[in-house]
Amino acid sequence: MKEVMEQSSDKVLENALANGVDLMNFMTKFQWDKAKYPTSLPLSSLADIINKEVSQVEAELKSRAAAYKNVKASLENLEHKLDGSLQTCSLNDVVRKEDLVVSEYLTTLLVVVARYLQWERTYESLSEFVVPRSSRKLYENREEGVFSVTLFKRAVCEFRAKAQESNFLMLWCIIYVPLSLSQGIFVRWLKVNFSEVFVAWIHLKALRVFVESVLRYGLPVNYQALLMQTDRKHSKKLKKELASLFVHLDPTASITDVSCDIPGLCQQEYFSYICFHISTNVLDIS
């Protein structure tokens, strides 16, 4: 179980990239994207662009997640053990992705055939658009078997009708394999849009550092932004050292009983310097 979780975590971190590089590498080499967020625009417009971009991703994420959840729920409702009829049981453990041909013109159907029927001798005659010798036996029990057959999509209705006339039961393969296909598409979408959102988030952090500095220390702009890497064990000590080093910038920050009327800003968050936390560990975001 531990090994499975570690492998899953490694897979997540492997795909958690920003502009094609790991998050820490992106952070240490960060440069403002002037093409995407023109610095000639007012700060409020830049913030609106970022917020709109992230909101669109969030809305699509909810839609895609709901669709994936529905597919998964539908498949779970079909789950039965293979000791029942092949007409009603799930074929998830029988049908593999490589058993199917799905292209612009071709598709693969599944057929349940009683053992006394001559499927392999007759399936090519059910339509002239069947791919010759494309049928494969995927599973068989004492009463019936599951066969695949590949044909042109234009002939699916014709083939289905003639198969039923011959007492062959047609199953739409799409019923049994959408989860793995949908999962792959969903994961690829997540990978691309994680990068987009993380990049937008870092730009928003940089924008906020600038705005907060102007609000705190005024004009003209004469500030230096730095990226400092630490961990939970040493972050408290680092903050204390920084507070001591920059206490002259805002002496009130060192007063423990100082009250603050700024909404959302508590005593623990107020320093003599501007500081924002950025976590690059996607498995440990709190």
Side-chain angles (χ1 to χ4, degrees), residues 78-120:
L78 294 174
E79 285 292 342
H80 298 286
K81 293 182 179 180
L82 279 173
D83 56 4
S85 170
L86 293 177
Q87 301 177 22
T88 59
C89 72
S90 169
L91 299 182
N92 288 337
D93 296 329
V94 175
V95 182
R96 300 169 300 175
K97 186 176 180 180
E98 52 266 32
D99 294 324
L100 306 172
V101 176
V102 181
S103 67
E104 183 177 358
Y105 299 106
L106 297 176
T107 189
T108 298
L109 300 179
L110 304 181
V111 187
V112 174
V113 181
R115 294 197 65 170
Y116 65 86
L117 296 175
Q118 300 297 317
W119 163 259
E120 293 172 310

Side-chain angles (χ1 to χ4, degrees), residues 4-282:
V4 173
M5 293 181 66
E6 288 177 350
Q7 291 176 359
S8 178
S9 298
D10 291 342
K11 193 66 176 178
V12 171
L13 295 176
E14 178 184 328
N15 288 279
L17 305 176
N19 285 349
V21 299
D22 65 84
L23 304 186
M24 184 54 67
N25 191 16
F26 173 79
M27 287 293 306
T28 55
K29 298 180 180 179
F30 172 76
Q31 289 186 337
W32 187 272
D33 189 343
K34 294 183 179 180
K36 198 170 186 180
Y37 309 111
T39 52
S40 58
L41 294 176
L43 298 180
S44 58
S45 297
L46 292 174
D48 287 342
I49 291 174
I50 295 174
N51 287 330
K52 183 178 180 181
E53 179 183 356
V54 174
S55 296
Q56 289 175 342
V57 173
E58 182 181 18
E60 188 172 355
L61 173 61
K62 290 180 179 179
S63 176
R64 286 176 175 267
Y68 177 75
K69 185 177 180 180
N70 289 336
V71 170
K72 186 176 182 180
S74 298
L75 287 177
E76 289 175 349
N77 290 334
L78 294 174
E79 285 292 342
H80 298 286
K81 293 182 179 180
L82 279 173
D83 56 4
S85 170
L86 293 177
Q87 301 177 22
T88 59
C89 72
S90 169
L91 299 182
N92 288 337
D93 296 329
V94 175
V95 182
R96 300 169 300 175
K97 186 176 180 180
E98 52 266 32
D99 294 324
L100 306 172
V101 176
V102 181
S103 67
E104 183 177 358
Y105 299 106
L106 297 176
T107 189
T108 298
L109 300 179
L110 304 181
V111 187
V112 174
V113 181
R115 294 197 65 170
Y116 65 86
L117 296 175
Q118 300 297 317
W119 163 259
E120 293 172 310
R121 295 182 181 179
T122 59
Y123 77 91
E124 290 186 16
S125 64
L126 297 179
S127 173
E128 62 178 312
F129 295 103
V130 172
V131 177
R133 297 180 295 280
S134 63
S135 182
R136 299 288 184 273
K137 183 191 295 183
L138 305 181
Y139 180 81
E140 186 177 49
N141 60 23
R142 294 180 179 180
E143 290 82 28
E144 51 199 358
V146 177
F147 293 82
S148 65
V149 58
T150 301
L151 65 156
F152 283 84
K153 290 181 178 179
R154 57 183 293 188
V156 167
C157 293
E158 174 196 4
F159 186 88
R160 182 180 177 88
K162 290 188 177 181
Q164 289 178 335
E165 291 176 4
S166 302
N167 295 321
F168 302 134
L169 177 66
M170 298 298 303
L171 300 174
W172 295 97
C173 62
I174 195 64
I175 293 176
Y176 300 100
V177 296
L179 185 60
S180 60
L181 297 179
S182 298
Q183 186 181 47
I185 295 172
F186 193 25
V187 168
R188 287 193 293 273
W189 183 89
L190 287 172
K191 183 176 180 179
V192 171
N193 286 276
F194 173 85
S195 173
E196 293 293 322
V197 171
F198 187 85
V199 170
W201 183 50
I202 299 305
H203 277 79
L204 189 61
K205 288 282 188 180
L207 188 64
R208 190 177 177 188
V209 167
F210 175 79
V211 172
E212 294 283 351
S213 298
V214 173
L215 291 175
R216 179 83 72 89
Y217 307 120
L219 296 172
V221 176
N222 184 24
Y223 320 121
Q224 179 67 52
L226 300 174
L227 180 67
M228 305 190 72
Q229 183 181 1
T230 184
D231 52 30
R232 288 184 175 181
K233 182 178 179 180
H234 300 94
S235 61
K236 188 175 181 179
K237 182 178 180 181
L238 175 61
K239 290 178 181 178
K240 186 177 180 179
E241 292 291 336
L242 290 173
S244 175
L245 182 63
F246 296 111
V247 65
H248 62 283
L249 296 177
D250 189 352
T252 61
S254 62
I255 303 175
T256 56
D257 60 349
V258 67
S259 61
C260 181
D261 297 328
I262 303 177
L265 190 64
C266 63
Q267 171 62 23
Q268 288 78 7
E269 295 174 325
Y270 190 74
F271 309 106
S272 57
Y273 55 93
I274 306 299
C275 178
F276 295 112
H277 174 71
I278 298 175
S279 175
T280 56
N281 186 353
V282 296

